[in-house]
Amino acid sequence: MSEMMLLLMSAASLGVIHTLLGPDHYLPFIVLGKARNWSRPRTLWITFISGVGHVAGSVILGLIGIGMGISLSKLESIEASRGSLVGWMLIAFGLLYTAYGIYKYVKRGAHIHLPAFLRPRSIRHADLHLDVKELEKEDAGRLTPWILFLIFVFGPCEVLIPMLIYPAANQSGLGVFLVALVFGIATVGTMMLVVFLGYQGLSMVRLKGREHQLHLFAGLVILLAGAGMQFMGL
């Protein structure tokens, strides 16, 4: 077996493993997809675009570093810094979305459990007549996919750059391209598969009457994913 074939097999394996070991690669898409009532195709499309941006960010950094003769240790240090930045970005996003979830729960959910005559008159009619899809139309949620995309563009693929060094050192442009391509397919494909399975799994959970709590749940999950990435190296 040739060295290039071994390198490509390693790229594919590491792409799958590093994705599975990082909950931040898929949990935000699963919980936000359900909380924001995205369709399955839309959730997978957002996952795909974010995953491509995730891989492309490290590829571009690696190519720039190789072209400028930056050492591997320096590139790895830059990737580590990017990882710390993204961890804090996820934590900040999780905190903001948790606050949003609390707001939605208090505004739309907390009074549902009270008898109608005890609900504030200003929201009584809304509680009785607005369903979840109508409530979601009030949300200014168009920024959410872009926030996810931006976070993932900054997100590092620490295992990718060292693999790009070998074919680059042998002056093999095709090798660099193939390693990046195989790693990208493995990473994005794994992200989409796990998101698909998670989305399907949540669809089987009976949430009737609890839809107003999904935003709060999503915020807490994103917050935990960011904390795990920042403080536990996940």
Side-chain angles (χ1 to χ4, degrees):
M1 186 178 295
S2 67
E3 292 181 345
M4 180 53 64
M5 184 59 65
L6 285 173
L7 187 61
L8 293 178
M9 291 176 62
S10 298
S13 300
L14 290 174
V16 172
I17 293 171
H18 109 279
T19 302
L20 292 176
L21 293 180
D24 55 290
H25 285 74
Y26 43 84
L27 286 181
F29 301 99
I30 296 171
V31 294
L32 284 174
K34 296 306 295 183
R36 302 216 67 83
N37 201 32
W38 293 339
S39 66
R40 184 175 61 195
R42 185 182 182 190
T43 303
L44 292 176
W45 174 247
I46 293 171
T47 303
F48 173 77
I49 294 297
S50 299
V52 170
H54 175 56
V55 175
S58 287
V59 170
I60 292 172
L61 176 63
L63 293 178
I64 292 174
I66 291 170
M68 297 178 63
I70 300 176
S71 66
L72 177 59
S73 60
K74 181 64 174 178
L75 289 174
E76 289 178 334
S77 176
I78 294 173
E79 285 286 81
S81 298
R82 293 176 67 208
S84 178
L85 173 63
V86 168
W88 287 117
M89 290 174 70
L90 272 176
I91 289 172
F93 182 44
L95 285 172
L96 289 173
Y97 208 90
T98 298
Y100 173 74
I102 294 173
Y103 165 76
K104 292 292 290 183
Y105 176 76
V106 171
K107 182 179 179 183
R108 300 294 186 185
H111 301 283
I112 291 177
H113 304 289
L114 297 175
F117 69 90
L118 291 178
R119 299 174 193 169
R121 182 175 299 178
S122 60
I123 67 168
R124 190 181 304 165
H125 181 77
D127 284 343
L128 294 173
H129 296 285
L130 289 180
D131 61 20
V132 175
K133 291 184 179 180
E134 288 173 328
L135 292 177
E136 287 300 326
K137 290 179 182 178
E138 299 176 6
D139 294 341
R142 296 180 181 179
L143 285 178
T144 304
W146 292 107
I147 293 173
L148 282 177
F149 175 75
L150 180 63
I151 290 174
F152 272 79
V153 167
F154 279 99
C157 298
E158 296 92 341
V159 298
L160 175 58
I161 291 181
M163 289 189 295
L164 295 177
I165 297 295
Y166 179 80
N170 292 321
Q171 298 182 344
S172 174
L174 178 61
V176 171
F177 171 77
L178 289 176
V179 168
L181 179 64
V182 170
F183 182 87
I185 291 174
T187 298
V188 178
T190 303
M191 287 175 62
M192 294 183 68
L193 175 61
V194 177
V195 169
F196 172 81
L197 294 175
Y199 188 98
Q200 290 297 101
L202 275 183
S203 298
M204 297 173 64
V205 178
R206 304 184 70 174
L207 297 171
K208 188 174 182 180
R210 299 181 178 274
E211 294 88 347
H212 56 284
Q213 300 174 1
L214 285 176
H215 292 294
L216 176 57
F217 174 72
L220 291 174
V221 169
I222 295 170
L223 177 59
L224 289 175
M229 182 179 181
Q230 183 66 33
F231 302 115
M232 300 176 62
L234 297 179

